[in-house]
Amino acid sequence: MSDKSGVSILGICGSLRRGSYNMMALRTAIALKPPEMSVTVADISQIPLYNEDVRAQGFPPPVETLRRQIAEADALLFACPEYNYSMTGVLKNAIDWASRPPDQPFAGKPCAIIGAAAGMAGSARAQYDLRRSCVFVDMHPLNKPEVLIGQAQTKFDADGNLLDEVARNLIRDLMAALPGWARQLAKRG
C-alpha cells in the first residue's frame, strides 16, 4: 500500500475515442472516489501493436511507463468498452504488453472493472473476457458491485456527466469498496 491512509489507483480506459462513454464513466468514478483514494489515468494511446520481435529488443517507452504505473499503483480500475462481444483490441494489447516478463506487474494486483456500451448488456461480455485475462495474469478483480452501463448513449449528457443515478450509485459503491479490497489483499501478500 502506498501509505497508511491513502490508496493509489491506476485507471485504464480501453477506448481511445475522444467522446468515449468509458472515459466518461472513469471520470465519474474519479469524481465519486473516497477522499483517501488518488487516481491516475494511464495513457495507452501510444502503445504499439504487440510484436515479440520488438519486445525482444526491450519495452517501448510507453510500455515501460505503463508497467511502472501498474507496479506503483495499489489497485487498478479498468473502464472496459465492448467491441464485437469482447474487450477492445486496445485494452487487450496494453495488457499483453504489460504482462510480459520479466517482473510482470499485474501479479497479485487488486482491480475493479466498470464498463459502458451502447447495447443492453452494458459491456458484460467484454468484462467477462477481461476477467479471464485477469485470472491468467494473477490479478484479483473485485466481484461486486458490477457496473454495467447499458445504452450508454442515453446515460450521459453532452458534457460527459453520467445522468443515471443507479449507475452513479454502483460506481460510488465500487469506489468505496476498492480501498478495502486492496488493503485485504495487501495483508495476505
Side-chain angles (χ1 to χ4, degrees):
M1 301 296 296
S2 53
D3 63 39
K4 291 182 180 169
S5 61
V7 176
S8 66
I9 307 297
L10 179 65
I12 301 173
C13 182
S15 175
L16 304 181
R17 188 172 66 88
R18 182 177 305 128
S20 166
Y21 297 121
N22 284 276
M23 185 55 83
M24 292 176 196
L26 184 54
R27 285 189 197 111
T28 300
I30 293 168
L32 297 174
K33 72 177 181 56
E36 74 272 11
M37 180 186 286
S38 64
V39 180
T40 301
V41 178
D43 177 8
I44 62 172
S45 67
Q46 301 304 307
I47 294 176
L49 292 175
Y50 183 79
N51 180 329
E52 181 60 25
D53 294 335
V54 173
R55 193 202 63 84
Q57 298 171 20
F59 291 109
V63 175
E64 285 284 4
T65 298
L66 179 63
R67 286 170 53 90
R68 179 184 43 75
Q69 289 175 312
I70 292 166
E72 291 173 355
D74 295 319
L76 307 178
L77 174 60
F78 291 98
C80 182
E82 183 169 302
Y83 291 4
N84 298 322
Y85 278 24
S86 189
M87 73 175 110
T88 63
V90 170
L91 181 55
K92 180 70 166 70
N93 185 61
I95 292 168
D96 289 346
W97 266 113
S99 67
R100 302 307 300 154
D103 304 318
Q104 190 270 93
F106 291 122
K109 191 71 64 176
C111 67
I113 304 168
I114 62 177
M120 295 292 289
S123 81
R125 292 169 291 246
Q127 289 191 36
Y128 172 72
D129 284 350
L130 177 54
R131 286 176 183 274
R132 289 186 320 151
S133 290
C134 289
V135 168
F136 184 77
V137 299
D138 194 29
M139 279 189 281
H140 303 286
L142 180 68
N143 289 325
K144 299 285 180 183
E146 290 183 301
V147 179
L148 305 163
I149 305 169
Q151 296 183 318
Q153 68 278 13
T154 67
K155 305 290 173 73
F156 294 89
D157 68 17
D159 295 321
N161 299 305
L162 180 58
L163 304 173
D164 185 281
E165 280 306 310
V166 171
R168 289 180 64 79
N169 288 334
L170 287 169
I171 290 172
R172 183 180 291 111
D173 291 349
L174 180 138
M175 296 302 281
L178 188 53
W181 182 234
R183 288 185 183 105
Q184 181 179 347
L185 290 174
K187 286 178 186 175
R188 291 184 197 168

